[in-house]
Each structure stands twice: as C-alpha cells, then as structure tokens.
C-alpha cells in the first residue's frame, strides 16, 4: 500500500497571532511532532478530529490538547494570556478544517477574506475546498 505523503507543518503568523497547521500525529510519529511543536513554541494543540495519538504524552511535555468547541474564544484568551504563543491546529490531513479555523482567526484579526485565503495557501498548498471558500467568503466577524 502506498504511503500518504503528508505536508510538513507550516507556521501562519499575523499581527500577534501564531498558528501551526499540521496533519494529525500518530503514536508512531508523535515524538517528531512534539519536537516540531517545541521548535515553534506551541503551547496548545487544537484537535478537530478523533485522537490518533496518546494525548497524555503531549500533555506530559507541557502542551495542552483541546478539542475545538469555541475556537475564537480560545484564540482571544491565548493571545491575551500568552502573547506570541503558537497554537497548533490539526485535522486528519491538515487540508480541511484546520486551515479554515486559522483563516477565521485571521479574518477576526482584521485580515480580508481573500487575503487570508491567499496568505494560508502560499504556505499550505491544497488548503480549502470550494465549500470552505464559500463559507469563508460569507463569514462576517
């Protein structure tokens, strides 16, 4: 069976917001992910899919793992309490919901829809499908 070629994590920074978009780690790849998270100064991981790894190992490293439920409130709190912190966001492959969440945060931060999409796509090829683009286009902060 062919191995899926996952994109490497990418950092998206705008104003005082920092995000790391990545695909979902597994227990086999978790140590490498933790190294990457530390390299980028990740303090929180937001999961938008089922856990594919042992979250206790990540928490042991001082990185909080949260399931997305109130994304924009989380971003505002983290930026207020930990200026310059990096929030890692992952879905299964990183091409779906994770970039949408980062785009929403950028739009809330003052970036225009088209600029947010282009900004993320420059760093993360394949981000956004047509339904996601339509949603972002209609979104109002």
């Amino acid at each position: 069976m062919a191995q899926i070629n996952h994109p490497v994590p990418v950092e998206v920074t705008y104003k005082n917001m920092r995000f790391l978009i990545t695909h979902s780690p597994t227990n086999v790849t978790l140590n490498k992910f933790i190294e990457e998270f530390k390299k980028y100064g990740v303090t929180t991981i937001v999961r938008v899919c089922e856990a594919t790894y042992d979250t206790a190992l990540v928490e042991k490293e001082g990185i909080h793992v949260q399931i997305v439920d109130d994304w924009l409130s989380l971003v505002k709190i983290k930026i207020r309490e930990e200026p310059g912190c990096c929030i890692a966001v992952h879905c299964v492959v990183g091409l779906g919901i994770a970039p949408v969440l980062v785009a929403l945060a950028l739009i809330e931060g003052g970036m225009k829809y088209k600029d947010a999409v282009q900004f993320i796509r420059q760093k993360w090829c394949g981000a956004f499908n047509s339904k996601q683009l339509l949603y972002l286009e209609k979104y109002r902060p």
Side-chain angles (χ1 to χ4, degrees):
M1 181 172 203
Q3 184 177 9
I4 296 175
N5 186 16
H6 295 291
V8 297
V10 296
E11 183 178 17
V12 176
T13 303
Y14 176 68
K15 293 184 179 179
N16 60 343
M17 297 182 278
R18 289 179 56 230
F19 304 97
L20 188 68
I21 302 174
T22 179
H23 66 280
S24 186
T26 64
N27 285 328
V28 173
T29 62
L30 191 56
N31 286 336
K32 179 69 175 152
F33 272 85
I34 289 171
E35 285 177 28
E36 286 291 308
F37 293 154
K38 287 181 175 182
K39 180 173 105 179
Y40 286 95
V42 169
T43 58
T44 303
I45 299 170
V46 175
R47 240 184 347 105
V48 295
C49 59
E50 292 298 316
T52 55
Y53 54 94
D54 183 355
T55 58
L57 296 174
V58 178
E59 295 274 353
K60 184 176 141 190
E61 295 293 328
I63 302 170
H64 303 288
V65 180
Q66 297 188 351
I67 299 171
V68 66
D69 51 4
D70 195 353
W71 168 247
L72 295 174
S73 291
L74 170 77
V75 170
K76 289 174 186 171
I77 290 167
K78 294 300 285 183
I79 289 169
R80 183 179 66 238
E81 293 178 358
E82 298 178 49
C85 73
C86 187
I87 302 170
V89 186
H90 74 77
C91 44
V92 177
V93 181
L95 298 177
I97 299 169
V100 170
L101 291 177
V102 172
L104 289 173
L106 297 180
I107 292 167
E108 285 284 333
M111 193 178 274
K112 295 190 182 319
Y113 146 76
K114 287 183 179 181
D115 295 335
V117 168
Q118 181 180 7
F119 191 65
I120 293 170
R121 279 187 164 169
Q122 285 174 347
K123 298 173 177 271
W124 195 260
C125 293
F128 310 115
N129 63 36
S130 59
K131 287 182 183 180
Q132 293 162 343
L133 289 171
L134 184 60
Y135 173 80
L136 290 170
E137 183 178 10
K138 292 181 178 187
Y139 178 79
R140 299 291 174 257

